[in-house]
Amino acid sequence: MDDTNRLANTTEPHDPAEDPPPADDATSGLPLFDRQLRIESLAERLHDLAAEWERRTFATRPEVVDGVVLPLLQHLGWETADPGVAVRDFTTAAGTVDFALCAPPGDPRILIEVGALPGPAAAPDDHPFDDPSFRALQLAVSDDGRDWRLHFPAGRGSIRNRRFAGFDIVDDPHEQVAGTLDTYLSFHAAQHGDAFREAEREYGKRRFPAEAHAAWRRCLQGSEVLRHFLREVEEVIGVTTDREQALGYLRSQLSSIHWPADPPDPEPARRVAVGDRVWVYDFGSREIVTSVVVGTEPDWEKGEVSRDSPKGYALLGAREGEEREVRLPDREPNRIRIVLIADA
């Protein structure tokens, strides 16, 4: 066998301990350690869905649920046919929502309501999402299924203030939407708590500009910051200090705060070198090859390819995550992605 087919069809015995992490789930078959592949697959699904919008209209709630919401959730790894995982007509203290996604069963991680989106004047306690007993992210989908909005759990103001992400699954860039879906709504991210942690971070970033000024004013007026500063000044000069003068001084010192230095740049990505074991995703066969070693001379028993072969030439010097083209004589170039590099 020549090494033309070796990259996509390696069948020699191998040590299971050297295999990459398992696939995300049966629905996508994509590896956990290559998020970009999952996003590309989801972006293709969104592209198909956008094309379907040009042919038809999702006019009713059942059409939106069955034609838009459930297919995307399935692509994100949710077993929507399992009533323990996707609980329909889930009741909260504030009302009933269309779905609660549970991971594990019985533990709601995401609440979903399909229909009219919360308006700009929405206040606490006027939406079925407003039950603070559930530490679950909340997804509101518009009547036509296009506009999706993500909200942080209740207990932190109105649903308007709790919104931290949103997108139109037809008009917005599909890869960008796919990345957001994968981050907050995938089964794996919800099961392991990654979705909530990322939502908490994004929610904090969005809320900071609106709340920072008021928080700073509270710190300066009647707080420990001002009282401690007054005590220190009075101890030095021996008399009572004017409060307004102290406040003015504190405000003037903001510009001289010593901010921490930026973290150092991360180490450069590893490049494929002779002797490395490389996991490669082949876009032609849509599968991952787990036993390719770049050697000075090919050793078929070990699944090696020569560094002087077309595939070896494409692999050498490539970084993890980089895409390369394998150019073979009299054939169309074959696109591959370097997924993982490890010592042989």
Side-chain angles (χ1 to χ4, degrees), residues 110 137 164 183-186 189-190 192-200:
I110 299 170
L137 301 183
F164 65 88
T183 298
Y184 300 114
L185 297 177
S186 69
H192 295 279
D194 297 337
F196 190 89
R197 285 189 290 271
E198 183 63 24
E200 193 172 43

Side-chain angles (χ1 to χ4, degrees), residues 56-250:
R56 56 172 294 190
T57 300
F58 296 96
T60 66
R61 177 177 292 195
E63 287 180 343
V64 170
V65 170
D66 296 334
V68 181
V69 178
L70 291 182
L72 288 177
L73 292 177
Q74 290 162 4
H75 203 94
L76 289 162
W78 293 95
E79 295 290 344
T80 57
D82 186 341
V85 173
V87 183
R88 290 177 179 260
D89 299 323
F90 184 79
T91 301
T92 73
T96 301
V97 296
D98 292 315
F99 290 97
L101 300 182
C102 302
D107 183 3
R109 299 297 177 93
I110 299 170
L111 304 181
I112 302 176
E113 177 70 7
V114 179
L117 292 173
D125 304 321
D126 67 353
H127 193 277
F129 284 161
D130 289 315
D131 181 354
S133 65
F134 287 101
R135 191 172 178 267
L137 301 183
Q138 301 157 352
L139 170 64
V141 182
S142 62
D143 285 315
D144 62 358
R146 292 180 51 162
D147 194 1
W148 293 38
R149 296 183 187 175
L150 281 158
H151 303 266
F152 208 62
R156 298 166 179 83
S158 71
I159 192 169
R160 175 191 59 185
N161 290 337
R162 300 199 313 272
R163 176 183 173 183
F164 65 88
F167 48 83
D168 184 314
I169 65 174
V170 176
D171 288 340
D172 289 343
H174 295 149
E175 187 155 333
Q176 177 181 317
V177 173
T180 303
L181 288 170
D182 183 77
T183 298
Y184 300 114
L185 297 177
S186 69
F187 173 79
H188 175 75
Q191 181 185 40
H192 295 279
D194 297 337
F196 190 89
R197 285 189 290 271
E198 183 63 24
E200 193 172 43
R201 186 186 69 82
E202 186 62 26
Y203 170 79
K205 285 173 57 179
R206 286 177 175 260
R207 292 284 289 167
F208 182 85
E211 304 298 339
H213 182 67
W216 176 244
R217 288 180 63 86
R218 288 195 297 271
C219 284
L220 291 183
Q221 296 176 356
S223 72
E224 284 300 318
V225 173
L226 179 58
R227 285 198 292 270
H228 181 71
F229 178 66
L230 288 172
R231 284 197 301 269
E232 291 295 323
V233 173
E234 290 169 0
E235 182 177 339
V236 173
I237 63 177
V239 297
T240 301
T241 302
D242 180 75
R243 179 189 177 91
E244 291 302 318
Q245 183 182 15
L247 275 174
Y249 180 82
L250 284 175

Side-chain angles (χ1 to χ4, degrees), residues 272-276 278 292-296 304-307 312 315-316:
V272 177
V274 171
D276 286 340
V278 188
V292 174
V293 177
V294 180
T296 54
E304 293 185 356
V305 297
S306 170
R307 66 180 180 183
L315 289 171
L316 282 176

